[in-house]
Amino acid sequence: MVVTETVLIYQDLLDRIGPNECFFELANLDIFGYKISRHRSKLLNDKPNNDDDDDKGKKKEEIIEIEQNKNMENSCGGIVWESAFALANYLEKRFDDFGVNKKVLSCVDLGSGTGFLGIYCAKKFKHRTTVTDTIDCVELMERNVKRNSLFNENEDCLCDVFELDWEREEHVERLREKKGTFDLIVATDVIFAERLVDPLIKCIRMLLNEKSGVCFVCAQPRDENAFGSFQERCMETFSMFRRVPNEELSFDDLDSECKLFEMRV
């Protein structure tokens, strides 16, 4: 994608002014850019060439552009929140677990808002990705998918948009009927009301591949009751559930309040 000079890049802004100021400045932007570094596959024994690396040996970077709508009514999904950047950062560090040469072939982003994290996964890992949210966010997600030209060599769309309110079981069932289960589920800032905890966990359980699936939920503890209930219900529901320990994270440079959970069926 060709990015105009006027688009601010998230990583550049983060380096310049730090995480707190960076988030508030980004939240007021209509459009921002996000760098995605290219990796060479270890399994495919890709060799560096003049196209992959510059003279200094740096990785080439691709930039995605994300449109935001801070004035969106009935939803807080019009901007990208800190937890989405934090989870993208974590997935970057685990590229060898989720890259194109692995068995992670499909991904769904729950409560995607702008579509940022799902678009990141589609671009970074070459997964077939579905971004989902309530009807209020659908048009914004569609614009961002189109903006980032998410098509492969055969002109198949690598990222599509689906209306999903996980309080409505028929929405979840319709998505599963159309797409099947997913190898990777990501969700950020979705633990903010206790009444939504059970429907969210049921949604994850219905959509997660029983053999190969892994789900990551990253959120700030905005509601202590919801946060506690989420952890209790996940321990009852999933065969493996853990809070990812701090030593595996590098959120301090982004937002130390973000907590990351991993679960498998």
Side-chain angles (χ1 to χ4, degrees), residues 14-222:
L14 182 67
D15 289 342
R16 193 170 80 242
I17 63 177
N20 292 330
E21 292 80 2
C22 177
F23 168 71
F24 288 111
E25 184 157 344
L26 279 178
N28 287 305
L29 295 177
D30 293 329
I31 298 173
F32 71 88
Y34 187 92
K35 294 178 185 176
I36 300 179
S37 61
R38 289 177 54 186
H39 284 72
R40 289 190 298 274
S41 164
K42 293 180 180 179
L43 293 185
L44 296 177
N45 295 317
D46 291 347
K47 297 179 180 180
N49 55 48
N50 292 334
D51 293 329
D52 288 332
D53 295 273
D54 61 20
D55 293 336
K56 296 181 180 180
K58 295 180 180 178
K59 294 174 184 175
K60 271 197 169 183
E61 294 173 330
E62 183 175 9
I63 294 177
I64 58 175
E65 282 190 4
I66 299 297
E67 175 189 343
Q68 300 186 115
N69 178 6
K70 60 181 179 292
N71 297 317
M72 181 179 291
E73 297 181 1
N74 304 317
S75 174
C76 58
I79 64 172
V80 180
W81 294 87
E82 299 102 313
S83 57
F85 296 122
L87 184 48
N89 179 270
Y90 178 75
L91 294 174
E92 161 84 16
K93 289 174 170 53
R94 290 190 59 177
F95 176 81
D96 288 333
D97 294 328
F98 304 116
V100 66
N101 52 326
K102 296 295 182 179
K103 294 182 179 180
V104 179
L105 303 177
S106 61
C107 170
V108 64
D109 182 4
L110 301 177
S112 188
T114 64
F116 162 73
L117 191 57
I119 290 170
Y120 169 86
C121 289
K123 286 283 190 179
K124 179 71 178 180
F125 305 120
K126 309 304 180 188
H127 297 164
R128 291 192 174 275
T129 300
T130 302
V131 292
T132 71
D133 212 314
T134 57
I135 188 63
D136 304 281
C137 297
V138 167
E139 289 186 4
L140 180 59
M141 292 189 296
E142 288 175 340
R143 290 197 299 272
N144 278 323
V145 168
K146 184 177 181 180
R147 176 183 294 277
N148 288 284
S149 304
L150 279 159
F151 295 88
N152 63 17
E153 293 178 355
N154 297 320
E155 292 301 311
D156 296 323
C157 187
L158 293 175
C159 185
D160 57 9
V161 176
F162 200 94
E163 179 191 352
L164 177 65
D165 177 347
W166 61 70
E167 287 190 276
R168 299 177 60 180
E169 189 169 337
E170 68 271 20
H171 279 200
V172 184
E173 291 175 346
R174 189 166 70 243
L175 176 58
R176 178 168 172 155
E177 289 174 2
K178 186 174 181 180
K179 297 291 183 178
T181 56
F182 294 87
D183 302 301
L184 176 63
I185 295 178
V186 293
T188 56
D189 259 327
V190 292
I191 313 171
F192 54 84
E194 193 169 8
R195 66 178 176 80
L196 297 176
V197 168
D198 280 348
L200 172 62
I201 292 174
K202 186 173 183 180
C203 173
I204 293 171
R205 182 65 182 81
M206 289 179 64
L207 296 177
L208 193 59
N209 187 301
E210 292 188 359
K211 294 182 178 180
S212 61
V214 58
C215 173
F216 292 102
V217 175
C218 188
Q220 294 176 324
R222 303 184 187 281

Side-chain angles (χ1 to χ4, degrees), residues 3-15:
V3 180
T4 61
E5 294 182 358
T6 57
V7 174
L8 287 177
I9 306 299
Y10 165 78
Q11 289 90 340
D12 296 342
L13 198 60
L14 182 67
D15 289 342

Side-chain angles (χ1 to χ4, degrees), residues 224-238:
E224 291 185 4
N225 291 334
F227 224 69
S229 178
F230 175 80
Q231 294 175 75
E232 291 174 5
R233 292 286 292 111
C234 282
M235 285 188 285
E236 297 170 356
T237 302
F238 299 99

